[in-house]
Amino acid sequence: MKFMKLGSKPDLFQSNGENIRYVATDLATDMIIRVGDIKFYLHKFPLLSKSARLQKLVAVSDTENNQELKIRDIPGGPAAFEICAKFCYGMTVTLNPYNVVLARCAAEYLEMYETIDKGNLVYKIEVFLNSSIFRTWKDSIIVFQSTKVLVPWSEELKIVSHCLDSIASKVSMETSKVNWSYTYNRKKSGNESPRKVIVPKDWWVEDLCDLSSDLYKRVIITIKTKGNVGSDVLGESLRAYTQKRLPWFGKKDEKKHGNDLKTRSLIEMIMELLPEEKEKETVSCGFLVHLLHACVVLECGGTRKKELMRRIGRELENVSVDDVAILDVDLVQELVAIFMMRDQSREDQDEFLEVKCVDSNAKVNVAKIIDGYLAEIAKDPCLQLLKFADLADMVSTLPRSTHDGIYRAIDMYLKEHPGIGKSEKKRICRLMDCRKLSPEACRHAVQNERLPLRVVVQVLFFEQVRSTTTTGEISEIPPGHGPTGGSRGSSRTATTNTEEEWGSVPTSEELKTLKGELEKGGEKASSKGKGVLTSKRIFMKVFSGKDKESDNGSSDTSESRSTNAEEMKSRRQSLS
């Protein structure tokens, strides 16, 4: 921190009670100046020799009878006046970033210019500000903070504009030119010396978090105007500032504290300061999600909320499960809908049209994120199956390397909702494709007592198929017999499976045989082939048998039985 000492004489100012200040000299005082509640007993000569304003006040007042001069509107009050008075006496005064604005505004009020006395206080403070304070990062921030209580003086004297320009210029400079010694990134680097560490782009972020919201807003606007800072760094600054001001920010279950109106104003300010979208440099999507959550909690304006949702939906693949987990399921459904659609502007109307050229990796990522989100919300015992299933349906057409994620979500839902009915279990299990489970997921599923027996059988069969495809003994999976009845895993195609197919189950002996065959996956090819034939017989029985325990208790007509018989015959021929 920079400082400047003025004067060389000892400080002779003393107090007599709480409201009296005087100079301890042999020479009697001949002037009383009242500043606020404080009376200063002083001498005319040193003060009038440097202050044009005091000269004017003395000229129009009766000071011969020790009448008080009252100064009510001096910026900085008694403390600022005392600094100026000590300078007039030549006493030692130390100026630093905390008191220099007080002194500068008070000196301006007292008109302590060069025209009155060479080397006067206004001149000396200006030199100190320009040569030291505005050249130093931390001092510029401290001075900028102190200007808030001295408006409009600090504005008129251009101290505020100089501070803004100083801060923004330092933020915008090349990191190689930054003398890095600031707390935020020093914490990140551990005990390593700052001189040996490459200065990161966000070295300045934490230091601005101490500013009040109105000052912070002015700094960010000035930084954005210069245009030399990436939107990702600006986004990090906004995130750090919001997190420090709102400890509950980004936390789902944390209760908010304080004035809702003030907090809402802060969130709306942050959204207003968000950098515009760019192709390469963007604000962290996780931060945008946390902002959206805060908007919902604080019931912020609809326009900004919609714009925020549109922005998140367009880059949904960049969020993490932890980020999106703080949102309720209805909001996530809206974000997925925005991802699946693009806002297309036509001459006559604006409407959402289906995405046709979304990057395949983005689709894979979104499917993975939503699977993880489903697993998180499945832990909620109050979550309705319809909301769970509808969200899963929305991403059912997106590509997945495996269905392990949706299986985990289904398993979690079944675990937390043990009382759901048979038809509901069927509905939720149709969301996954057993053919797309990894070997690890298959091993878990066959031991999972929460899954319907029907699903376990399918998992066992497809695992047998997978274990033998390399030998060439099975080349085709029976069509229409995945858990969803199709290759895409959509619950819409799953409706082709009849209730009888879902309800029919093998005997316990047959299931035991299947499990045994799965465990013998490392045996010889001939043994595998024999096991697969057994698996096929059991699998065909499972899918062609009558459902004696169907939910509606109805039986097939003769026409449907004939159709099923022909279908089963065709499937057996394809297997053999």
Side-chain angles (χ1 to χ4, degrees), residues 74 272 405:
I74 183 171
E272 180 184 344

Side-chain angles (χ1 to χ4, degrees), residues 46-317:
L47 270 67
L48 300 185
S49 66
K50 296 184 181 296
S51 172
R53 189 180 189 97
L54 288 178
Q55 290 177 12
K56 297 171 187 176
L57 290 174
V58 169
V60 298
S61 63
D62 183 10
T63 59
E64 296 298 331
N65 298 317
N66 285 334
Q67 188 175 359
E68 297 178 2
L69 287 178
K70 294 182 180 179
I71 300 177
R72 297 185 179 90
D73 54 350
I74 183 171
F81 176 80
E82 185 169 331
I83 292 175
C84 295
K86 287 179 179 179
F87 174 80
C88 292
Y89 277 94
M91 297 177 187
T92 301
V93 177
T94 302
L95 296 179
N96 57 57
Y98 293 98
N99 66 11
V100 67
V101 180
L102 290 175
R104 175 64 182 90
C105 294
E108 184 70 22
Y109 176 88
L110 294 173
E111 301 176 17
M112 301 174 72
Y113 305 133
E114 288 289 280
T115 54
I116 303 300
D117 186 58
K118 190 173 180 62
N120 213 340
L121 186 55
V122 168
Y123 170 77
K124 289 185 177 295
I125 293 178
E126 284 294 321
V127 170
F128 178 52
L129 287 171
N130 294 317
S131 64
S132 297
I133 295 295
F134 296 142
R135 293 174 178 266
T136 309
W137 165 256
K138 201 72 173 181
D139 291 345
S140 296
I141 294 175
I142 296 171
V143 168
F144 186 47
Q145 288 174 300
S146 69
T147 62
K148 187 175 180 179
V149 296
L150 293 166
V151 175
W153 286 90
S154 57
E155 292 277 5
E156 294 174 356
L157 295 175
K158 300 188 182 303
I159 300 175
V160 172
S161 61
H162 283 309
C163 287
L164 286 169
D165 185 67
S166 172
I167 294 170
S169 297
K170 291 172 176 58
V171 166
S172 303
M173 71 170 56
E174 292 291 332
T175 55
S176 60
K177 299 178 181 179
V178 176
N179 182 18
W180 188 46
S181 60
Y182 309 108
T183 56
Y184 179 52
N185 289 291
R186 181 181 288 178
K187 292 177 182 177
K188 290 184 178 180
S189 66
N191 297 323
E192 200 168 0
S193 172
R195 294 181 180 178
K196 298 180 181 179
V197 180
I198 297 176
V199 179
K201 294 186 295 183
D202 64 346
W203 62 268
W204 50 272
V205 165
E206 189 72 11
D207 290 317
L208 297 188
C209 290
D210 294 329
L211 296 175
S212 60
S213 59
D214 54 340
L215 296 182
Y216 178 79
K217 180 179 179 179
R218 296 187 66 173
V219 169
I220 295 299
I221 290 174
T222 307
I223 291 172
K224 290 172 69 175
T225 301
K226 288 188 175 292
N228 295 327
V229 178
S231 60
D232 56 336
V233 183
L234 283 173
E236 171 61 17
S237 176
L238 294 171
R239 184 208 61 77
Y241 186 81
T242 310
Q243 185 68 62
K244 186 164 185 176
R245 295 286 163 172
L246 305 177
W248 57 267
F249 182 77
K251 299 176 182 179
K252 183 175 183 179
D253 300 323
E254 189 77 15
K255 294 182 179 180
K256 63 182 187 301
H257 302 283
N259 188 314
D260 279 357
L261 184 61
K262 185 177 180 181
T263 304
R264 187 184 300 114
S265 177
L266 173 63
I267 291 296
E268 290 177 347
M269 180 200 76
I270 294 296
M271 289 193 291
E272 180 184 344
L273 293 175
L274 285 174
E276 296 180 359
E277 294 177 84
K278 296 181 180 180
E279 293 183 1
K280 295 183 179 180
E281 282 190 309
T282 57
V283 177
S284 162
C285 200
F287 171 56
L288 297 180
V289 170
H290 295 165
L291 269 183
L292 178 59
H293 174 251
C295 279
V296 174
V297 171
L298 298 167
E299 300 177 355
C300 293
T303 302
R304 294 196 185 279
K305 177 184 171 183
K306 288 180 180 178
E307 174 60 23
L308 200 54
M309 291 183 64
R310 184 195 67 81
R311 190 164 177 173
I312 297 169
R314 289 173 66 89
E315 50 179 314
L316 191 59
E317 69 274 13

Side-chain angles (χ1 to χ4, degrees), residues 426 430 494-504 543 545 547 556 564:
K426 295 175 184 177
R430 286 171 179 157
T495 57
T496 59
N497 289 338
T498 66
E499 291 296 318
E500 286 188 312
E501 285 179 311
W502 274 102
S504 179
F543 281 92
D547 185 8
D556 289 340
N564 287 341

Side-chain angles (χ1 to χ4, degrees), residues 442-461:
C442 285
R443 284 193 289 271
H444 185 277
V446 297
Q447 303 294 335
N448 193 342
E449 297 179 355
R450 290 184 287 272
L451 293 177
L453 194 57
R454 188 81 184 162
V455 177
V456 176
V457 173
Q458 293 177 70
V459 173
L460 286 165
F461 176 78

